[in-house]
């Protein structure tokens, strides 16, 4: 099949966040970063994955018998049946899903062609029109599928649908950068100034990120900057000041969104068999207000949340 | 009594009073007063026996007289003898019962159940009343037996062919209003008539009509009888207000507080003047409307009697007062608040089975705001805003605010409505002008009237004064599908309910299944229509509403009651309940059996018979098929097919008294009891579980693709097939609307829904956590409002089943 496809793990019709107006947000699967606080861990790997909701498992054993590689075992644990999946062995063939009738086994990620995805996006066209909304292409990191994203943006433009890319900024391919340039708006994450900390927190250097940010700013690309505030990781006065200072020096930043830590993603780690490493307290509203003020002091239009 | 004063003298009197009215205006109201009066409505309702008792006494006295006259005399006796009272702090006065929040008895509709449920009323888990005191119980035991065999439901039961009676509340729930223990309600009486003409003005018209009649002509003689009844009620209503004038005067004489004394004097003056005469001020108009409404309700206690477009017809007086400097917007807002609070003083006790159909204790006094003028201009005015703002601090369950949305509606007004909706956990209905006007045109109303439409009850489009548009019982559409799948036999009842449409195991195509379903609809819909029509026939014969009729155009000229074809336009509907379940079920079979061939009909039917016990695979496959509410054309188109087909059946016959027979898609709260009689469905719903609520709202929890997808699924339906209206209920987390920017998006969401073919939409803006907390600590959440059906109810007053049903609805979060 030579048609371009990308794995999508979620589509939200009618998002009030993720950019201006009412938006349809599509999440492409796969990301070069592995942020400790990542709230969409199902967006990290580049292929569809098994989603396991252990509480729904009744221990019927259907999945065990169809797994071609013997990756699934049912362990009896103090009288309770427990599903044990060897993710190393699992080839993500998803045969087990077809025979799981309780919904304990499901998948994260379905492949879409541009045509298929555009048809889904177009359904909400009338809401974009009235609200100044459009489509937001997020993930994961959408620019990992530059061909797909460029074609999608083209289709949207032909239909006068506003496009935004929600990006981590770690984009090194020329096509990926082109995709960022083509979008009408970028939701651009800034997760730190200091290189070593950034490397520790996200697994990658922030050099290409900051470079892209400055370049896109220079060409006048409208930017909404998203700053995750994670206690102990990105919330030192120094880090926040540094980010605010940098953003204050840019000219295309339309808004800064302060994204306070939350734990909505926690359940998905268990579903993916991943370890959840974050252990932090929520940020009190007063502190969030102070952080907002800090950014505003640099002349930035700032809001709490996306 | 002053009632007999000549018109001339009345006019002279009002002139005299007119001079003094500068200083006799309402001085101030204040938040404290509103708070106090509001608090009083948050009490458990009590049964008031007076209406029932006085009605009975009167009927005993009038045996043998024409029915309309008996009705009129009964109303007159009630108004003359019922307990009246003016509470501290009240400025708008008049009570419909002897209690703070009183339940009226209507033994002329159903009587036996009151005696059977006398104890149960205070212990049942739905619509609970305070225990009935012993003396009241004794009184009830004394007068209720009179109605045995005379109540309308007894007559209804006697008229329905015996072999079809068992289908009542199975095929259709709440078909006979008389059996529900409710009058039709849904009054679209035009209060402009009472404000501008007063009772005396209407009476003059009645006299003029009577003077024209030739009593030798049989039909004209009938008119004479009817108009005589109207006249009795008009005089009775004026005398009722007069009683209040006297009471206020007496109270004023004894009052030591100078401020309150002046207020009581003002009340006395006002009730002396209105509703007998035209209202001259905004305040007089509200008082006039209130007494009129009370009389209308006492005559015919029923749900959803509308004040309809109050921001339009009250505007001229409001403007005049503002210009004269006798009122400020603040004062007007507070008066509106007093008015709203008053609408909460009456409830209807329903027999327990029916209470689960219409749970929540609301009379639903509809106030419709904004929209278009008769000539198609934006109708929003200052009063539209005041009516909205007023509701922010009242937020009780009966006053029902409906905001009309047209392309011309100012954003500021839509935003104000969203703000109020958010503050009230959702309690504002939004309605598409474009769709509603199309519906009214389809049912034969001319464009200038259609533009002036209002809503009564849950969702019935109507034109005040010109049209009576009454919803109907709820046809259990999922049951009809079950019959098609089970050769006409109901799984739960185990009896042959519908025609034998063949063993579904042998169906080879989707079309065969559809044909069987259509056959069930074609056979059973006429039964539902017959149930409805007999009910209407009985109301027209034995329970006419002469007082209410005088507030419509043409009833006096025609000498005919509003419920007997007296109004220029009328429609009687039946409601389609659970259509989304039918659509989801048909789509699941179409896909899994006939297209993907993953299942056979036999396997599906076996699984249904077993309520999916041990049939997890079948359940899984069926549940995975497309579901309504996700903007999925595959299933949405089927839902539309079902609506179109059923609507066509309903429209094949005329309604009672030449009315249009049309459809609504609604359930009120009957989605729970209707679910009791339906076995497992191919959409994955298990036996006895609730069916989809609201008529066209997606089945609870199935709309997972996001709010715009839900809206588009509903907006794409052909709403001209359900011209009596429908409801889309959506639940938002309050967090999703937390700031001005998000509220703006919410407003655009609503606008787009209304401008792209949607009809009525309403929201519950309350988090799952809050609802669960309220279940645990009801005492702390006494005034937590939720939308059930299309009205608002106090969450803590609902049955646990209904509470859980609301929690199960899809909640859209900020994501």
């Amino acid at each position: 099949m030579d048609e371009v496809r990308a794995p999508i793990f979620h589509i939200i019709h009618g998002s009030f966040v993720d950019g201006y107006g009412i938006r349809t947000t599509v999440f492409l699967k796969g990301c070069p970063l592995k942020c400790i606080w990542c709230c969409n861990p199902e967006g990290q790997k580049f292929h569809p994955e098994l989603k396991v909701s252990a509480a729904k498992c009744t221990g019927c054993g259907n999945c065990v018998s169809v797994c071609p590689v013997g990756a699934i075992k049912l362990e009896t644990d103090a009288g309770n049946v427990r599903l044990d999946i060897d993710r190393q062995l699992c080839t993500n063939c998803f045969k087990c899903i077809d025979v799981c009738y309780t919904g304990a086994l499901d998948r994260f990620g379905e492949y879409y062609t541009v045509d298929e995805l555009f048809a889904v996006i177009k359904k909400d066209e009338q809401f974009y029109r009235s609200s100044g909304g459009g489509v937001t292409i997020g993930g994961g990191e959408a620019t990992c599928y530059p061909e797909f994203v460029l074609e999608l943006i083209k289709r949207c433009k032909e239909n006068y649908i506003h496009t935004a890319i929600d990006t981590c900024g770690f984009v090194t391919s020329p096509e990926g950068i082109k995709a960022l340039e083509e979008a009408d708006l970028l939701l651009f994450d800034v997760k730190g100034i200091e290189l070593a900390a950034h490397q520790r927190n996200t697994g990658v250097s922030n050099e290409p990120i900051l470079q892209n940010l400055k370049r896109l700013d220079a060409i006048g690309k409208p930017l909404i900057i998203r700053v995750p505030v994670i206690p102990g990781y990105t919330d030192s006065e120094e880090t926040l000041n540094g980010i605010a200072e940098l953003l204050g020096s840019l000219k295309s930043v339309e808004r800064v969104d302060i994204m306070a830590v939350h734990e909505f993603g926690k359940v998905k780690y268990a579903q993916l068999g991943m370890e959840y490493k974050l252990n932090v307290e929520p940020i009190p509203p007063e502190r969030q207000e102070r952080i907002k003020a800090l950014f505003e002091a640099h002349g930035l239009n700032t809001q709490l949340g996306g | 009594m002053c009632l007999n004063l000549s018109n001339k003298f009345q006019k002279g009197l009002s002139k005299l009073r007119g001079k003094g009215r500068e200083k006799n205006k309402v001085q101030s109201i204040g938040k404290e007063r509103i708070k106090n009066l509001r608090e009083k409505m948050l009490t458990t309702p009590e049964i008031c026996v007076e209406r029932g008792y006085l009605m009975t006494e009167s009927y005993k006295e009038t045996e043998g007289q024409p029915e309309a006259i008996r009705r009129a005399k009964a109303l007159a006796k009630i108004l003359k003898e019922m307990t009246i009272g003016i509470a501290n702090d009240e400025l708008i006065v008049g009570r419909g019962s002897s209690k703070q929040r009183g339940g009226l008895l209507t033994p002329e509709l159903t009587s036996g159940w009151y005696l059977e449920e006398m104890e149960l009323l205070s212990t049942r888990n739905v619509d609970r009343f305070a225990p009935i005191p012993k003396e009241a119980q004794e009184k009830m035991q004394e007068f209720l037996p009179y109605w045995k065999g005379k109540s309308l439901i007894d007559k209804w039961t006697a008229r329905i062919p015996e072999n079809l009676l068992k289908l009542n509340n199975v095929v259709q729930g709440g078909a006979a209003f008389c059996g529900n223990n409710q009058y039709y309600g849904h009054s679209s009486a035009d209060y402009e008539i009472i404000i501008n003409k007063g009772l005396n003005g209407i009476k003059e018209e009645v006299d003029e009509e009577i003077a024209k009649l030739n009593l030798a002509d049989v039909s004209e003689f009938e008119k004479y009888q009817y108009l005589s009844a109207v006249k009795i009620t008009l005089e009775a209503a004026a005398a009722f207000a007069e009683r209040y004038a006297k009471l206020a005067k007496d109270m004023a004489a004894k009052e030591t507080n100078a401020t309150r004394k002046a207020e009581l004097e003002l009340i006395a003056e006002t009730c002396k003047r209105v509703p007998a005469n035209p209202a001259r001020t905004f305040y007089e108009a509200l008082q006039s409307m209130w007494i009129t409404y009370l009389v209308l309700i006492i005559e015919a206690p029923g749900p959803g009697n509308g004040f309809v477009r109050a921001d339009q017809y009250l505007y001229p007086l409001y403007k005049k007062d503002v210009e004269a400097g006798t009122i400020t917007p603040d004062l007007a807002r507070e008066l509106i608040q007093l008015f709203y609070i008053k609408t909460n003083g009456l409830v209807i006790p329903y027999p327990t089975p029916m209470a689960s159909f219409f749970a929540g204790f609301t009379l639903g006094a509809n106030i419709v705001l904004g929209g278009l003028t008769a000539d198609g201009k934006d109708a929003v005015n200052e009063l539209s805003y005041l009516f909205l703002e007023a509701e922010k601090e009242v937020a009780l369950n009966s006053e029902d605010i409906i905001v009309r949305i047209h392309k011309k509606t100012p954003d500021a007004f839509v935003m104000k409505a969203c703000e109020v909706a958010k503050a009230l956990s959702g309690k504002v209905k939004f309605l598409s002008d474009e769709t509603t006007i199309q519906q009214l045109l389809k049912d034969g109303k001319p464009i200038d009237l259609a533009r002036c439409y209002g809503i009564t009850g849950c969702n019935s489009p109507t034109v005040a004064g010109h049209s009576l548009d009454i919803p109907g019982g709820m046809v259990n559409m999922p049951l009809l599908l079950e019959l098609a799948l089970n050769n006409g036999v109901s799984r739960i009842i185990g009896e042959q309910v519908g025609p034998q449409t063949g063993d579904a195991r042998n169906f080879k195509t989707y079309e065969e299944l559809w044909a069987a379903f259509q056959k069930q609809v074609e056979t059973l819909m006429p039964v539902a229509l017959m149930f409805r029509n007999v009910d209407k026939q009985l109301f027209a014969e034995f329970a006419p509403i002469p007082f209410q009729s005088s507030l419509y155009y043409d009833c006096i000229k025609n000498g005919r009651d509003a419920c007997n074809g007296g109004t220029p336009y009328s429609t009687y509907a039946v409601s389609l309940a659970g259509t989304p379940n039918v659509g989801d079920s048909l789509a699941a079979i179409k896909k899994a059996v006939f297209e993907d061939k993953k299942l056979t009909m036999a396997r599906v039917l076996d699984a249904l018979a077993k309520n999916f016990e041990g049939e997890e695979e079948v359940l899984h496959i069926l549940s995975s098929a497309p579901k309504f509410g996700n903007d999925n054309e595959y299933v949405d188109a089927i839902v539309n097919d079902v609506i179109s087909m059923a609507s066509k059946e309903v429209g094949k016959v005329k309604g009672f008294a030449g009315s249009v027979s049309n459809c609504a898609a609604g359930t009120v709260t009957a989605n729970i009891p209707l679910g009791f009689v339906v076995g497992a469905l191919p959409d994955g719903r298990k036996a006895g579980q609730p069916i989809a609520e609201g008529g066209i709202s997606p089945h609870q929890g199935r709309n997972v693709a996001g709010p715009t997808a839900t809206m588009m699924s509903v907006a794409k339906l052909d709403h001209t097939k359900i011209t009596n209206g429908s409801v889309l209920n959506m639940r938002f987390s309050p967090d999703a609307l937390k700031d001005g920017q998000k509220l703006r998006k919410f407003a655009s969401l609503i606008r787009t829904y209304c401008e792209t073919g949607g009809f009525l939409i309403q929201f519950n803006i309350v988090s799952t956590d809050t609802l669960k907390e309220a279940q645990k600590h009801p005492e702390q959440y006494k005034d937590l409002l939720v939308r059930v059906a299309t009205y608002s109810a106090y969450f803590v007053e609902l049955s646990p089943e209904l509470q859980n049903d609301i929690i199960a609805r899809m909640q859209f979060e900020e994501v």
Side-chain angles (χ1 to χ4, degrees), chain B residues 154-284:
Chain B
D154 299 339
K155 295 186 160 95
W156 187 84
T157 311
R159 282 188 189 189
I160 299 297
E162 217 174 323
N163 61 328
L164 296 177
L165 204 50
K166 66 175 182 198
L167 299 184
N168 187 33
N169 285 337
V170 175
V171 166
Q172 188 184 28
F177 277 63
C178 63
N180 305 342
N181 201 37
Q182 59 190 186
Y183 282 81
Y184 307 171
H186 298 81
S187 154
S188 56
D190 192 345
Y191 287 86
E192 204 167 352
I193 297 178
I194 204 74
I195 291 171
N196 292 343
K197 294 182 187 164
L199 296 166
N200 292 339
I202 302 171
K203 212 170 77 185
E204 277 171 30
E205 283 174 23
V206 173
D207 284 335
E208 279 164 28
E209 281 304 323
I210 290 178
K212 285 188 219 160
L213 297 171
N214 175 1
L215 300 191
D217 181 292
V218 176
S219 72
E220 295 200 13
F221 186 74
E222 276 172 18
K223 275 191 188 179
Y224 168 74
Q225 284 184 337
Y226 181 73
L227 291 173
S228 305
V230 173
K231 211 169 138 176
I232 293 169
T233 64
L234 292 169
E235 286 166 357
F240 183 56
E242 196 63 52
R243 284 181 72 199
Y244 273 96
K246 183 167 184 308
L247 176 65
K249 198 175 163 201
D250 293 349
M251 286 170 74
K254 289 180 207 137
E255 180 63 54
T256 51
N257 178 313
T259 313
R260 184 60 183 158
K261 193 185 183 73
E263 284 177 3
L264 287 163
E265 280 166 358
L266 175 67
I267 293 168
E269 288 283 310
T270 308
C271 290
K272 217 171 173 64
R273 173 154 186 96
V274 294
N277 299 290
R280 298 163 303 178
T281 65
F282 185 69
Y283 168 62
E284 281 185 359

Side-chain angles (χ1 to χ4, degrees), chain A residues 123-145:
Chain A
K123 289 176 177 212
D124 287 329
E125 191 182 1
Q126 300 178 90
F127 292 95
Y128 311 148
R129 199 184 299 149
S130 70
S131 69
V135 62
T136 297
I137 312 166
E141 174 54 42
T143 58
C144 293
Y145 302 91

